[in-house]
Amino acid sequence: MHPALQGLITIIIGVGGCVGYFWLSNLVLDKVLFPPRGPNAGRNINRANMIRPWLFLFPALAALGLYLAYPVFETLRLSMIERDGVEEHWVWFANYARMAAEPKFIEALRNNFLWLLVVPAASTAFGLLAAQLTDRLRWGNLAKSLIFMPMAISFVGAAVIWKLVYDYRPIDQEQIGVLNAIVVALGGEPQTWLQIPFWNNFFLMVVLIWIQTGFAMVILSAALRGIPEETVEAAIVDGANPFQIFFKIKVPQIRGTIVVVWTTITLVVLKIFDIVFAMTNGQWGTQVLANYMFDKLFRANDWGVGSASAMVIMVLVTPILVWNVVNARREMK
Amino acid sequence: MADLKLTGVGKTYGGTVEVLKDINLDIATGELIVFVGPSGCGKSTLLRMIAGLEKITTGTLEIDGMVVNDVPPAQRGIAMVFQSYALYPHMTVRENMSFALKIARKPQAEIDAAVMRAAKMLQLEPYLDRLPKALSGGQRQRVAIGRAIVRDPKVYLFDEPLSNLDAALRVATRIEIAQLKESMPNSTMIYVTHDQVEAMTLASRIVVLADKGIAQVGPPLELYERPRNEFVARFIGSPAMNLLPGEIIGTGEKTTVRIAGGGLAVSAVPTRAADKGLKVNVGIRPEDFVITEAEDHVYDGEVEFVEALGEVTVLYFRPEPGRDAVLAKLPGVHADLRGRRVRLAADPARVHLFHGGESLLWRD
């Protein structure tokens, strides 16, 4: 069968199935289970209305339960057992203890903290700067589009691009990496950027900052436009200079949005995997938690420690996620 | 504590769109000047040019004898109260009021004293530590005024400060502003509004803006009693003045005009013999009409509609084709006039004459 036809049929079955589910289940509820007639018509209507929302929520709840809630508990279970061939036996926190003793895990934890400190702050700051600077320019929208464009590139794609930027060739060869080409042109020696311990972490972070600045800029630009112009004019009349207007009038008024942007990027950073995986694979001291988890689960086949590290990531993400949702809801009011 | 002088001031946007031209105005210390005009006449633009928020395209603006065209707003000695209050939402009332002085790096004791003095004047003391969102509209407006007072400016600028308040609060705040002005007799205030009641009650002089320029400047009652042109005549007073086309048939100390519909109007405006036959518009305010049984009448028509307000009754006469309806505002209750033919007369002293839009009274 032609693949396009196949796709079309799939779409029809999928959408038709959804529509059919809602329509039929609703019909069964109203006509069969609780028909609005007979001696209990009023009671039946009330009961049907109580059940209806759950009926409609059921597919989403089932899917979330199957693909989100169940894996969490299964991972928790896996993190506390050890496999001996096909036999499983409970070891409780032994996997966690083993993991904590591994230098690679400590390195991943440290690096994740570094990412956490640098990337959200840098992305938000650059985004805010870009939003403010492009606000009044005639070609501001063009500049914004350019800054936003990396958002459209996948993390792996961005990693490949930046791997080329950091590319190293011996000094007697032509440098194909932009960074080394500049260094050499300025009279320096080419560096293996991704292998310089400690600092290579920051070269990886640049990639994510490059991507996330566009996101921060778009959201913050909208927030800046939402500031009443008259408060800015009042500040001008009050004698504030542009810096004071920005930091004392504008930034405080969009504080809530800044927090939401910051925490959203923080969540991305905590889960960071693709960039590290594609560029260094955690070598030369650049390991991060998600890549550590991948290593343990799918390379070393150590399900116990891999699951334990997954739990660590979840425990780190959850409080920030809750805070993010609370802030976002407050902003929307 | 300052006088303003506008000389040939004009404003053009983008080099082509002219919104104001050749504004000449002298404002003396202690005056409360009100700019009125229909929406889009440039009254807010003029105020913003005085504030320094808009560039002055042509002409000069002097404050206290110094040209301030290129002086930044904060150094012009002005303070502005915005229509939407423009309070800083993240600052308390106290911080809002002290912001300008903080920026100017005034000593803390001086800031506190100025804020307390303004708060006392505006009865804002209980609210000093609240955020603007916890205040009512009237209180916010008082904070906005307080923010201006704290700076002790030479000139206060008000941009439609009452238009965001509900009707009852508007009256109360209007009186507060009048009292505020009385308590600071040396401060100069410029006030923009489209509400002629605010203009009439607050102003020492009103500036009526129309068609990119000043239509007339004068004390409120002069504008009402001796309008220079048809625009001011119809803009000041509510309902607007009736304009009846006619022809001068008698000149001298008093002028007699034959009204196109058949009536005869006598005006106290003197005319020259040469004016005989001149086409004029006779202007009579609705409240200056009286009902007459006599043969001599200015207007004669059928009452199409009656608005009985109790204290006054407004009669709407059936309009002749292509003309505006004539209105008469009579004191007391006259509910039984609907559908009847009524004759109207007016005191000659209150009959205005316009030729080509300009009042004959102001003709040299």
Side-chain angles (χ1 to χ4, degrees):
Chain A
M1 204 192 298
H2 194 275
L5 194 66
Q6 230 170 344
L8 194 68
I9 290 172
T10 312
I11 289 173
I12 290 171
I13 291 173
V15 175
C18 291
V19 173
Y21 168 78
F22 289 114
W23 185 69
L24 278 175
S25 62
N26 200 32
L27 202 69
V28 168
L29 184 70
D30 279 340
K31 301 286 179 203
V32 182
L33 290 179
F34 298 109
R37 351 169 242 282
N40 295 326
R43 202 194 62 185
N44 279 356
I45 291 174
N46 282 341
R47 287 192 176 170
N49 282 343
M50 258 154 62
I51 292 173
R52 204 183 319 277
W54 295 104
L55 201 65
F56 289 178
L57 279 173
F58 171 74
L61 288 178
L64 280 177
L66 184 62
Y67 294 111
L68 208 66
Y70 163 68
V72 168
F73 290 104
E74 179 62 10
T75 309
L76 184 63
R77 192 182 70 86
L78 285 174
S79 75
M80 293 185 177
I81 62 169
E82 185 144 24
R83 275 185 186 174
D84 231 353
V86 282
E87 295 228 346
E88 293 181 346
H89 48 95
W90 290 86
V91 295
W92 302 110
F93 290 99
N95 287 327
Y96 290 89
R98 203 145 55 81
M99 179 174 71
E102 270 197 42
K104 251 325 194 189
F105 173 74
I106 303 299
E107 175 194 314
L109 209 57
R110 180 204 70 177
N111 284 346
N112 257 62
F113 259 105
L114 275 181
W115 280 74
L116 202 64
L117 287 178
V118 175
V119 176
S123 303
T124 311
F126 286 134
L128 189 58
L129 198 68
Q132 168 71 13
L133 293 181
T134 56
D135 196 31
R136 293 286 165 82
L137 290 178
R138 198 132 35 93
W139 48 278
N141 280 335
L142 181 72
K144 272 189 204 158
S145 310
L146 288 175
I147 295 172
F148 187 71
M149 222 172 266
M151 278 291 284
I153 302 172
S154 72
F155 283 13
V156 174
V160 171
I161 293 172
W162 279 87
K163 219 175 164 181
L164 288 171
V165 170
Y166 294 138
D167 194 273
Y168 167 82
R169 293 291 144 105
I171 192 151
D172 51 336
Q173 287 178 29
E174 188 86 27
Q175 297 296 326
I176 66 158
V178 173
L179 199 55
N180 272 331
I182 293 171
V183 168
V184 171
L186 293 175
E189 281 193 16
Q191 304 285 320
T192 51
W193 300 105
L194 295 177
Q195 293 172 29
I196 305 171
F198 189 66
W199 298 109
N200 51 6
N201 281 303
F202 295 93
F203 297 132
L204 296 185
M205 291 177 203
V206 167
V207 183
L208 191 57
I209 294 169
W210 179 67
I211 295 173
Q212 293 293 329
T213 295
F215 162 76
M217 176 199 67
V218 167
I219 308 282
L220 294 173
S221 171
L224 281 176
R225 295 235 166 127
I227 293 175
E229 187 59 29
E230 287 195 335
T231 60
V232 174
E233 289 180 341
I236 293 173
V237 172
D238 273 349
N241 64 33
F243 283 98
Q244 287 165 326
I245 289 171
F246 184 68
F247 286 109
K248 293 193 167 159
I249 304 296
K250 285 185 164 182
V251 169
Q253 287 195 62
I254 59 166
R255 228 195 83 227
T257 312
I258 292 176
V259 170
V260 169
V261 167
W262 192 299
T263 50
T264 305
I265 298 175
T266 300
L267 290 176
V268 175
V269 167
L270 276 174
K271 297 180 295 178
I272 190 66
F273 166 72
D274 332 38
I275 293 172
V276 176
F277 179 79
M279 290 182 78
T280 63
N281 196 17
Q283 301 173 84
W284 311 298
T286 59
Q287 188 64 293
V288 290
L289 283 173
N291 198 53
Y292 176 80
M293 177 191 79
F294 184 85
D295 264 357
K296 288 291 169 192
L297 273 178
F298 302 114
R299 286 218 178 89
N301 248 341
D302 187 343
W303 287 73
V305 171
S307 301
S309 60
M311 294 311 293
V312 169
I313 297 175
M314 197 188 80
V315 166
L316 290 176
V317 169
T318 306
I320 300 174
L321 182 71
V322 170
W323 191 35
N324 179 273
V325 170
V326 168
N327 267 304
R329 291 180 74 133
R330 195 186 303 148
E331 273 307 284
M332 268 181 263
K333 262 184 212 159
Chain B
M1 285 151 273
D3 49 317
L4 271 82
K5 191 176 166 75
L6 285 80
T7 316
V9 169
K11 176 74 187 172
T12 310
Y13 282 109
T16 46
V17 186
E18 192 176 49
V19 288
L20 287 169
K21 64 178 179 196
D22 199 28
I23 304 281
N24 294 294
L25 189 61
D26 276 311
I27 299 173
T29 300
E31 272 197 294
L32 197 165
I33 296 287
V34 176
F35 293 168
V36 285
S39 38
C41 70
K43 55 191 189 293
S44 280
T45 307
L46 187 56
L47 190 78
R48 291 166 59 82
M49 288 188 337
I50 294 171
L53 293 170
E54 299 269 359
K55 269 217 136 341
I56 296 169
T57 318
T58 57
T60 57
L61 166 67
E62 290 167 50
I63 298 179
D64 262 350
M66 208 177 80
V67 176
V68 294
N69 281 34
D70 297 314
V71 176
Q75 285 150 37
R76 291 188 183 191
I78 51 111
M80 187 152 169
V81 176
F82 292 84
Q83 180 176 357
S84 65
Y85 325 130
L87 300 181
Y88 310 127
H90 55 290
M91 296 186 194
T92 62
V93 169
R94 187 193 305 277
E95 287 165 341
N96 261 286
M97 290 181 16
S98 48
F99 183 71
L101 299 184
K102 280 232 175 77
I103 291 285
R105 296 178 190 282
K106 290 267 166 40
Q108 189 60 42
E110 189 181 319
I111 296 176
D112 288 343
V115 170
M116 283 317 290
R117 191 173 54 91
K120 200 170 273 176
M121 263 170 104
L122 298 160
Q123 287 123 46
L124 283 170
E125 288 150 303
Y127 312 112
L128 279 176
D129 293 313
R130 285 204 201 170
L131 287 174
K133 66 178 173 205
L135 300 177
S136 70
Q139 289 165 344
R140 287 180 204 180
Q141 190 52 272
R142 292 217 297 274
V143 176
I145 294 170
R147 200 165 61 176
I149 292 175
V150 164
R151 297 184 50 205
D152 193 21
K154 298 182 203 162
V155 184
Y156 287 84
L157 306 176
F158 292 89
D159 188 6
E160 308 212 20
L162 305 186
S163 53
N164 278 11
L165 302 177
D166 64 52
L169 208 50
R170 203 176 298 175
V171 174
T173 314
R174 197 173 73 207
I175 291 168
E176 277 176 23
I177 291 179
Q179 287 167 343
L180 185 73
K181 177 72 191 77
E182 240 163 64
S183 68
M184 301 187 293
N186 286 326
S187 57
T188 310
M189 294 188 180
I190 303 177
Y191 189 108
V192 164
T193 180
H194 60 264
D195 182 321
Q196 53 161 303
V197 179
E198 278 172 38
M200 297 295 284
T201 50
L202 289 173
S204 55
R205 279 192 303 156
I206 295 178
V207 176
V208 182
L209 290 166
D211 194 24
K212 301 174 188 174
I214 294 178
Q216 188 170 359
V217 183
L221 286 181
E222 183 180 291
L223 265 58
Y224 178 81
E225 286 167 350
R226 294 156 56 85
R228 259 179 188 278
N229 48 47
E230 286 179 6
F231 179 83
V232 175
R234 285 184 64 82
F235 191 79
I236 303 287
S238 171
M241 182 187 279
N242 297 296
L243 291 177
L244 305 166
E247 186 183 329
I248 295 179
I249 53 169
T251 56
E253 280 295 289
K254 289 193 172 177
T255 308
T256 313
V257 180
R258 159 127 3 249
I259 308 267
L264 212 59
V266 179
S267 169
V269 178
T271 41
R272 303 183 279 258
D275 291 331
K276 204 161 193 170
L278 193 69
K279 300 271 186 223
V280 291
N281 274 339
V282 177
I284 302 171
R285 295 194 182 276
E287 54 269 36
D288 292 336
F289 272 132
V290 290
I291 293 182
T292 179
E293 299 293 326
E295 265 312 301
D296 291 343
H297 61 271
V298 176
Y299 183 79
D300 164 47
E302 186 195 334
V303 179
E304 187 177 42
F305 192 67
V306 176
E307 273 181 353
L309 303 175
E311 68 168 320
V312 291
T313 302
V314 182
L315 307 181
Y316 290 73
F317 288 85
R318 187 177 295 284
E320 283 154 48
R323 296 250 179 83
D324 288 338
V326 170
L327 273 69
K329 189 155 112 183
L330 308 171
V333 179
H334 303 265
D336 54 340
L337 289 176
R338 184 165 182 179
R340 282 177 48 188
R341 279 200 89 76
V342 173
R343 283 180 178 172
L344 298 174
D347 177 358
R350 296 183 167 274
V351 175
H352 308 260
L353 296 179
F354 300 97
H355 174 67
E358 300 295 316
S359 173
L360 293 186
L361 186 67
W362 288 87
R363 189 169 61 163
D364 328 294

